[in-house]
Amino acid sequence: MFQSLTNTIRSVYCIRDRFPRYMSELLFQEEQMGALFAVRFRYVIGVALVASAVANLSNIDSVFGYLINFVAIGIYFLNTFIHYQILKKSRGHWKTKYDYISLFIDNLLISITIFNWYILKGDGNPNFLVKTPLVVFYLLPLSLCLFQYRFSLVNFSFVCFLLSYYGFIIFALMDVRSLSGSDWHEYVLGDQLILSDALVTKPTVYLVLVFAISYAIFRSLRMLLKFAAAESQKTTLSRYFSPDLVSEIVSEPEVIAKGKRQKVTILFSDIRGFTQYSEPMDPEALSIFLTEFRRRMVRAIFKHNGSLDKFIGDAVMATFGTPTPSDFTGKDSLNAVLAAKSMLDELAQWNQERMKRGESEIKIGIGIHTGDVFCGSIGSEERMEYTVIGDTVNTASRIESACKDLGVSFLISEAVWMETGSPSGWDKKESVSLTGREQKIHLYAPNSN
């Protein structure tokens, strides 16, 4: 049990170690904003302290009492002003360091104020230092720690309280005028001190609050970590899946965690003569060219609920019906055909822009096939990849390659043609031999008319 508690505490206080560097920097910025808000909130606390001091003016019967009370409040406001200026103007770790100095000053001022009231109204009984309701003011510095995500500030405030509080107890015990007993009535309304209660109760309550605040900070940090992980996952998935599919996958991550066999429509695309075109290009120009080409092709694919499986150099492989097939038969194949037409439209528009700049025309070939595949996450623990595997994938790739032999830019298999309702406007290419396949298949190309 003790080991379990230790592990729990360690997991709470070490959560920051799990943050990546960029998040640690963002968290530091948020802490500084929280520190600024905390300093502004200190003025609200200061007004409450002034109101409390004014409410107790009738109990102050000496110049010394007035002096200590209002000088302490003045120092509090001065410290607040200095802290604000440091946070606004200074750089580096000095901002962080002054948070501890400010907490120490706050706790010190509370201790001085308590001692001042002991001198004024304690009647020589040092038990006043331990029993005074002013001890509750030690919670004010602790409350300011809630505005920042730093366990160390909470712990430091707790240590300051313990030093002051147990210092008062030691001071009381060393004084012969201190009265100890076990009568609860005398403890609450009289002069006696129940030492066991004084040693345990208030520090325990304070400790519980420290743990509660620490856990609240831990939950906030853990939530930030989860949000960051979810956003990172969405960013990664958005490179491969359309926005609608990304939302579905994030809400049900198990849909890509498990491998399964299902019917999927595969689209392959390739730039014609890319090797000869790219050889004279410098690396930077080639990178810009491929980036723009891929951006346009992926936009067309995502427009029709396709998923980007991978880039292979200048080639694009997309899937339709992953991770979840459409509820309507042939819908995925229809989406693939529509995406291919959008890709050709995007290319035609891009070629117009390129030719105006005196650049050469780009041509592509697109092949589409549908059938059963294995789809799921494969790879090692260090690098997982969601992809599809099967003869359908190979066939789609070879259909795309057949575009060169047949002199067309777009071919679909007979299975795709039939799934889309055997539409008119397609030219049938009968008994086409595909590389690596003995059996010939029928292919369809858009009618050129």
Side-chain angles (χ1 to χ4, degrees), residues 83-295:
H83 196 177
Y84 182 78
Q85 295 303 314
I86 288 175
L87 290 174
K88 290 287 288 184
K89 297 180 180 180
S90 68
R91 297 181 179 180
H93 294 289
W94 182 245
K95 291 181 178 181
T96 304
K97 291 178 180 178
Y98 199 82
D99 288 333
Y100 298 96
I101 296 173
S102 182
L103 272 178
F104 176 78
I105 293 174
D106 288 344
N107 282 278
L108 180 62
L109 290 175
I110 294 170
S111 299
I112 291 173
T113 303
I114 290 175
F115 205 84
N116 176 51
W117 279 102
Y118 159 66
I119 294 174
L120 293 175
K121 296 296 180 180
D123 292 332
N125 187 348
N127 290 344
F128 177 93
L129 295 168
V130 182
K131 297 169 62 175
T132 175
L134 292 175
V135 172
V136 74
F137 279 89
Y138 285 111
L139 295 177
L140 293 177
L142 178 66
S143 67
L144 294 173
C145 301
L146 281 168
F147 297 107
Q148 300 182 63
Y149 299 107
R150 290 158 61 190
F151 298 112
S152 55
L153 287 177
V154 180
N155 295 335
F156 183 77
S157 182
F158 181 51
V159 170
C160 288
F161 162 74
L162 291 181
L163 290 175
S164 299
Y165 182 74
Y166 284 116
F168 288 148
I169 290 179
I170 293 172
F171 179 84
L173 293 177
M174 293 176 63
D175 195 315
V176 294
R177 293 171 292 181
S178 176
L179 301 174
S180 296
S182 57
D183 190 307
W184 190 259
H185 183 272
E186 287 297 319
Y187 176 46
V188 175
L189 299 177
D191 295 333
Q192 290 186 12
L193 179 69
I194 300 178
L195 185 59
S196 59
D197 181 81
L199 288 171
V200 174
T201 302
K202 290 186 178 70
T204 299
V205 171
Y206 202 104
L207 181 62
V208 169
L209 288 174
V210 166
F211 277 123
I213 292 173
S214 296
Y215 188 70
I217 294 174
F218 166 74
R219 290 201 61 184
S220 298
L221 293 177
R222 188 173 63 176
M223 192 176 298
L224 286 173
L225 201 58
K226 287 184 177 181
F227 282 153
E231 287 303 312
S232 177
Q233 184 186 34
K234 288 181 69 174
T235 300
T236 301
L237 291 173
S238 65
R239 301 173 186 171
Y240 304 99
F241 298 98
S242 64
D244 292 340
L245 287 175
V246 168
S247 300
E248 178 185 343
I249 293 169
V250 171
S251 61
E252 298 182 48
E254 64 275 5
V255 298
I256 63 172
K258 299 178 181 178
K260 59 180 179 179
R261 294 197 66 84
Q262 66 182 60
K263 192 170 188 178
V264 174
T265 301
I266 311 295
L267 180 152
F268 264 96
S269 171
D270 191 31
I271 298 176
R272 294 288 170 259
F274 178 72
T275 302
Q276 293 79 6
Y277 175 81
S278 61
E279 279 181 351
M281 298 177 69
D282 64 79
E284 183 178 358
L286 180 60
S287 174
I288 293 173
F289 169 81
L290 283 176
T291 299
E292 180 63 15
F293 171 75
R294 291 173 174 178
R295 184 182 68 83

Side-chain angles (χ1 to χ4, degrees), residues 407-424:
V408 296
S409 59
F410 180 20
L411 286 170
I412 63 174
S413 66
E414 188 171 35
V416 173
W417 181 74
M418 293 178 65
E419 274 204 354
T420 54
S422 304
S424 58

Side-chain angles (χ1 to χ4, degrees), residues 277 289 350-351 353-361:
Y277 175 81
F289 169 81
W350 192 32
N351 278 329
E353 297 173 8
R354 289 176 57 81
M355 292 174 72
K356 288 180 181 179
R357 298 193 297 263
E359 297 173 341
S360 60
E361 184 181 14

